[in-house]
Amino acid sequence: MSEQQLPVVVIGGGPVGLAAAAHLLQRGVEPLVLESGPVAGSAVREWGHVRLFSPWGEVTDPAAEKLLAPTGWTRPDPARYPTGAEWAERYLRPLADALGGRVRYGAEVTGVSRAGRDRIVDADRDAQPFVVHVTGAGGGEERVFARAVIDASGTWGLPGPAGASGLPALGERASADRLTYRVPDLDDPAVRARYAGRRTAVIGSGASAFTALAGLASLTRDEPGTQVVWVLRRGISGSTFGGGEADELPARGALGLAAKAAVEHGEAQAVTGFRTEALQRADDGRLVLVSEDGRRLEPVDEVVVLTGLRPDLSFLSEVRLGLDERLQAPVELAPLIDPNQHSCGTVYPHGHRELAHPEAGLYLVGMKSYGRAPTFLAMTGFEQVRSVAAAIAGDLAGADRVELTLPETGVCGGAGLFDDPTAPAEGGCCTPVPQLVQIDAPAAGREPSGGRGA
């Protein structure tokens, strides 16, 4: 079989991976989607209780809609905000069904390389097809050959630790019984009982942390004795709560305002400039958070760690990647999304050139392309795979064309600027300090992080 007859392997059957398959088919290129979970959007379903901060009109891909049209699929109300479960069931499952046998489930990718070439060998490297090692649900192993590889496996599987150094805090692994790295589903009676009437620390300062804070703040009103401590590594400034009303994604802005309301109403106690170094057991079995400067918090029953996500690069060790040393994102993309530098506005739409690696024909797309950077939007991923599919098909003019306008974040400055615990509470360069507004807390608590994927 010639290389042109081989499929393009797409790793991950989530929103961006399935969109990549749809764009490839539209270009006459055969895709093979390898999804490690048992169903389409397995990772999305794990945060199915969380509501996206992008509406339906921004979380369905145009090529995917064309593929779905002949099946009788009806596009949901574009102005509504779906939950992760709704996104998976009403869009991802039908899309995967439309792709049919091109999507394989229970297929975990354990390695990617060039056929007969490890990462050291130069000779005829680009002339060799990719070889992808796959382990099936039953443990069987096989090799799949591909003309190109699109890695859309996301970052959901590798959450950041509580430790401020990027490594687990001392005692973090031993405290696993009292930690979660996901937004709690407080509508689940068993989960609700875990936090009701207890003291919980939330570590993190992004949309996921806002979501958890809003939900737990609601719980303090409904369940006596419930307490929430918000642990921030930096101080509270004008940027802490996001863009507020200046955010062109209103639901995302509302998340930050809900978190701000929780603090100002005394439903959550904010502890600033606290870099967690250790988790220690109190005499009663609860956890004491200890900072690098020796401060100790009062014991807590539970800890919700929402400090970001990381890409799994382990199965890409035999291919040549060009990754930024800080973000673990493609080197051409990194300057556009670096939270140490990124300032006003939004990320410029980008495609195959920014996503390219020294290994020709290999692309990291979707959330994984952002490495450790936050604020990824589904629209960004759809534009990425549109461009990548065009490039693989040989249409460089189409691949270079920009077909997307992204909303403004309403947030200015970079994380490096905001890291000072003594920073003044001022607005950023393009947005004022968000003003407190009344938000229905239970509903706000279900406005999501979407794992940065919305």
Side-chain angles (χ1 to χ4, degrees):
M1 183 179 292
S2 71
E3 184 170 328
Q4 293 303 307
Q5 293 175 302
L6 293 173
V8 172
V9 163
V10 179
I11 305 173
V16 177
L18 294 177
H23 279 280
L24 289 166
L25 271 181
Q26 194 174 67
R27 292 279 182 173
V29 178
E30 191 67 18
L32 175 61
V33 181
L34 301 176
E35 164 59 42
S36 61
V39 292
S42 292
V44 172
R45 292 173 188 272
E46 289 191 27
W47 51 268
H49 61 289
V50 178
R51 193 172 297 280
L52 280 70
F53 49 63
S54 294
W56 271 114
E58 297 175 359
V59 296
T60 58
D61 175 80
E65 289 190 16
K66 290 181 181 178
L67 186 62
L68 283 165
T71 70
W73 178 79
T74 302
R75 187 189 193 195
D77 180 354
R80 271 198 72 245
Y81 292 82
T83 62
E86 291 171 336
W87 198 20
E89 193 58 27
R90 298 187 60 186
Y91 170 64
L92 300 180
R93 182 189 59 78
L95 177 54
D97 289 347
L99 289 165
R102 298 180 179 92
V103 182
R104 290 177 49 187
Y105 303 107
E108 181 181 0
V109 173
T110 58
V112 178
S113 187
R114 291 282 187 176
R117 306 288 190 277
D118 62 22
R119 67 182 297 159
I120 298 175
V121 179
D122 289 334
D124 297 323
R125 185 175 189 84
D126 290 349
Q128 306 304 313
F130 287 95
V131 57
V132 180
H133 282 213
V134 183
T135 300
E141 298 179 299
E142 65 174 306
R143 295 187 303 169
V144 176
F145 293 95
R147 60 184 285 190
V149 173
I150 300 175
D151 183 356
S153 60
T155 56
W156 179 251
L158 284 180
S165 64
L167 301 173
L170 299 179
E172 183 169 347
R173 293 188 180 93
S175 305
D177 60 319
R178 291 183 178 267
L179 269 65
T180 182
Y181 298 85
R182 310 302 185 196
V183 176
D185 181 3
L186 297 177
D187 286 339
D188 182 322
V191 175
R192 188 180 183 87
R194 178 174 177 176
Y195 298 95
R198 310 182 83 186
R199 182 176 172 85
T200 299
V202 177
I203 304 176
S205 59
S208 294
F210 294 163
T211 304
L213 281 169
L216 289 167
S218 174
L219 197 63
T220 65
R221 297 190 292 274
D222 298 337
E223 300 287 349
T226 304
Q227 299 178 34
V228 185
V229 181
W230 185 19
V231 180
L232 295 118
R233 294 172 180 170
R234 62 195 192 199
I236 293 181
S237 68
S239 66
T240 299
F241 300 100
E245 293 173 339
D247 197 319
E248 289 190 13
L249 289 176
R252 182 172 59 187
L255 270 178
L257 292 172
K260 188 174 191 289
V263 173
E264 294 194 348
H265 291 166
E267 295 161 345
Q269 173 195 354
V271 178
T272 60
F274 193 98
R275 300 172 182 275
T276 305
E277 181 179 73
L279 299 175
Q280 298 177 354
R281 291 277 180 175
D283 292 340
D284 59 3
R286 294 192 296 167
L287 295 179
V288 175
L289 276 65
V290 183
S291 72
E292 293 177 346
D293 60 10
R295 281 185 291 163
R296 301 169 65 87
L297 300 185
E298 292 182 23
V300 297
D301 299 285
E302 301 288 340
V303 181
V304 180
V305 183
L306 299 167
T307 56
L309 301 163
R310 302 174 174 185
D312 180 3
L313 303 171
S314 61
F315 59 86
L316 300 175
S317 61
E318 291 306 316
V319 288
R320 298 173 177 179
L321 301 177
L323 297 177
D324 178 75
E325 61 186 8
R326 290 167 294 183
L327 300 185
Q328 295 178 300
V331 291
E332 296 298 324
L333 175 60
L336 302 179
I337 61 176
D338 188 347
N340 288 293
Q341 303 173 8
H342 196 48
S343 189
C344 298
T346 188
V347 179
Y348 187 79
H350 52 275
H352 73 111
R353 295 194 186 278
E354 291 85 357
L355 299 171
H357 291 274
E359 197 74 69
L362 174 71
Y363 301 93
L364 275 58
V365 300
M367 287 169 59
K368 191 163 187 175
S369 71
Y370 269 40
R372 299 190 183 197
T375 65
F376 181 81
L377 295 175
M379 291 186 295
T380 300
F382 298 155
E383 173 67 3
Q384 287 179 341
V385 296
R386 182 205 63 77
S387 173
V388 166
I392 291 174
D395 179 10
L396 291 184
D400 289 335
R401 188 168 56 245
V402 174
E403 297 186 4
L404 173 68
T405 300
L406 290 169
E408 297 286 340
T409 65
V411 180
C412 303
L417 301 177
F418 301 151
D419 214 30
D420 182 0
T422 63
E426 300 176 353
C429 55
C430 64
T431 192
V433 177
Q435 298 301 305
L436 182 64
V437 299
Q438 293 297 322
I439 297 175
D440 180 67
R446 294 179 61 81
E447 298 285 14
S449 63
R452 298 181 300 160

